[in-house]
Short mmCIF file of all heavy atoms in Angstrom, two decimals:
data_model
loop_
_atom_site.label_atom_id
_atom_site.label_comp_id
_atom_site.label_asym_id
_atom_site.label_seq_id
_atom_site.Cartn_x
_atom_site.Cartn_y
_atom_site.Cartn_z
N ASP A 346 163.02 48.64 -116.91
CA ASP A 346 164.29 49.38 -116.76
C ASP A 346 164.83 49.79 -118.13
O ASP A 346 166.01 49.57 -118.39
CB ASP A 346 165.31 48.54 -116.06
CG ASP A 346 164.90 48.12 -114.66
OD1 ASP A 346 164.12 48.82 -114.01
OD2 ASP A 346 165.19 46.96 -114.20
N VAL A 347 163.98 50.42 -118.93
CA VAL A 347 164.31 50.67 -120.32
C VAL A 347 165.60 51.36 -120.45
O VAL A 347 166.51 50.98 -121.21
CB VAL A 347 163.17 51.40 -120.98
CG1 VAL A 347 163.48 51.76 -122.41
CG2 VAL A 347 161.90 50.66 -120.94
N LEU A 348 165.85 52.54 -119.77
CA LEU A 348 166.94 53.26 -119.91
C LEU A 348 168.21 52.59 -119.52
O LEU A 348 169.26 52.69 -120.21
CB LEU A 348 166.77 54.68 -119.28
CG LEU A 348 167.78 55.76 -119.64
CD1 LEU A 348 167.70 55.97 -121.15
CD2 LEU A 348 167.38 57.05 -118.93
N ASP A 349 168.20 52.06 -118.27
CA ASP A 349 169.30 51.28 -117.76
C ASP A 349 169.75 50.21 -118.72
O ASP A 349 170.98 50.07 -119.13
CB ASP A 349 169.05 50.60 -116.46
CG ASP A 349 169.02 51.72 -115.39
OD1 ASP A 349 169.40 52.82 -115.69
OD2 ASP A 349 168.65 51.35 -114.27
N ASN A 350 168.82 49.44 -119.23
CA ASN A 350 169.13 48.31 -120.13
C ASN A 350 169.70 48.90 -121.48
O ASN A 350 170.63 48.28 -122.04
CB ASN A 350 167.84 47.49 -120.49
CG ASN A 350 167.63 46.44 -119.40
OD1 ASN A 350 168.57 45.88 -118.79
ND2 ASN A 350 166.37 46.28 -119.02
N ALA A 351 169.06 49.98 -122.02
CA ALA A 351 169.52 50.58 -123.16
C ALA A 351 170.97 51.07 -123.11
O ALA A 351 171.80 50.93 -124.00
CB ALA A 351 168.62 51.68 -123.65
N THR A 352 171.25 51.81 -122.02
CA THR A 352 172.54 52.37 -121.81
C THR A 352 173.58 51.27 -121.79
O THR A 352 174.68 51.25 -122.37
CB THR A 352 172.60 53.36 -120.61
OG1 THR A 352 171.54 54.11 -120.66
CG2 THR A 352 173.87 54.11 -120.52
N ALA A 353 173.31 50.15 -121.02
CA ALA A 353 174.25 49.05 -120.96
C ALA A 353 174.38 48.50 -122.27
O ALA A 353 175.57 48.08 -122.67
CB ALA A 353 173.66 48.01 -119.91
N LYS A 354 173.32 48.28 -123.08
CA LYS A 354 173.34 47.71 -124.38
C LYS A 354 174.29 48.48 -125.35
O LYS A 354 175.05 48.03 -126.19
CB LYS A 354 172.00 47.59 -124.96
CG LYS A 354 171.83 46.49 -125.98
CD LYS A 354 170.36 46.16 -126.18
CE LYS A 354 169.83 45.29 -125.11
NZ LYS A 354 168.51 44.90 -125.35
N HIS A 355 174.15 49.77 -125.27
CA HIS A 355 174.89 50.71 -125.95
C HIS A 355 176.41 50.51 -125.82
O HIS A 355 177.18 50.32 -126.81
CB HIS A 355 174.54 52.14 -125.67
CG HIS A 355 175.25 53.28 -126.44
ND1 HIS A 355 176.06 54.11 -125.86
CD2 HIS A 355 175.27 53.53 -127.68
CE1 HIS A 355 176.54 54.96 -126.73
NE2 HIS A 355 176.07 54.63 -127.93
N ALA A 356 176.79 50.30 -124.57
CA ALA A 356 178.18 50.09 -124.37
C ALA A 356 178.60 48.66 -124.74
O ALA A 356 179.67 48.44 -125.34
CB ALA A 356 178.42 50.30 -122.85
N ARG A 357 177.72 47.68 -124.41
CA ARG A 357 178.08 46.32 -124.62
C ARG A 357 178.24 45.88 -126.10
O ARG A 357 179.19 45.24 -126.54
CB ARG A 357 177.05 45.36 -123.99
CG ARG A 357 177.45 43.93 -123.92
CD ARG A 357 176.39 43.18 -123.11
NE ARG A 357 175.09 43.07 -123.69
CZ ARG A 357 174.02 43.53 -123.18
NH1 ARG A 357 174.02 44.15 -122.04
NH2 ARG A 357 172.81 43.42 -123.82
N LYS A 358 177.30 46.43 -126.88
CA LYS A 358 177.30 46.06 -128.31
C LYS A 358 178.35 46.84 -129.11
O LYS A 358 178.78 46.38 -130.20
CB LYS A 358 175.97 46.26 -128.89
CG LYS A 358 174.81 45.51 -128.13
CD LYS A 358 174.15 44.53 -129.05
CE LYS A 358 172.93 43.95 -128.36
NZ LYS A 358 172.33 42.89 -129.11
N GLY A 359 178.70 48.01 -128.63
CA GLY A 359 179.69 48.82 -129.44
C GLY A 359 179.10 49.58 -130.58
O GLY A 359 179.81 49.99 -131.49
N ILE A 363 171.61 53.91 -129.73
CA ILE A 363 170.58 52.88 -129.45
C ILE A 363 169.17 53.68 -129.36
O ILE A 363 169.12 54.72 -128.74
CB ILE A 363 170.78 52.18 -128.08
CG1 ILE A 363 171.89 51.18 -128.13
CG2 ILE A 363 169.49 51.59 -127.54
CD1 ILE A 363 171.42 49.75 -128.44
N VAL A 385 169.66 57.02 -127.34
CA VAL A 385 170.96 57.02 -126.56
C VAL A 385 172.11 57.12 -127.56
O VAL A 385 172.28 56.29 -128.40
CB VAL A 385 171.21 55.69 -125.74
CG1 VAL A 385 172.44 55.73 -124.98
CG2 VAL A 385 169.96 55.45 -124.81
#
Side-chain angles (χ1 to χ4, degrees):
D346 302 330
V347 177
L348 195 55
D349 284 352
N350 279 322
T352 313
K354 202 163 282 183
H355 182 240
R357 191 173 66 243
K358 303 242 189 187
I363 282 271
V385 180

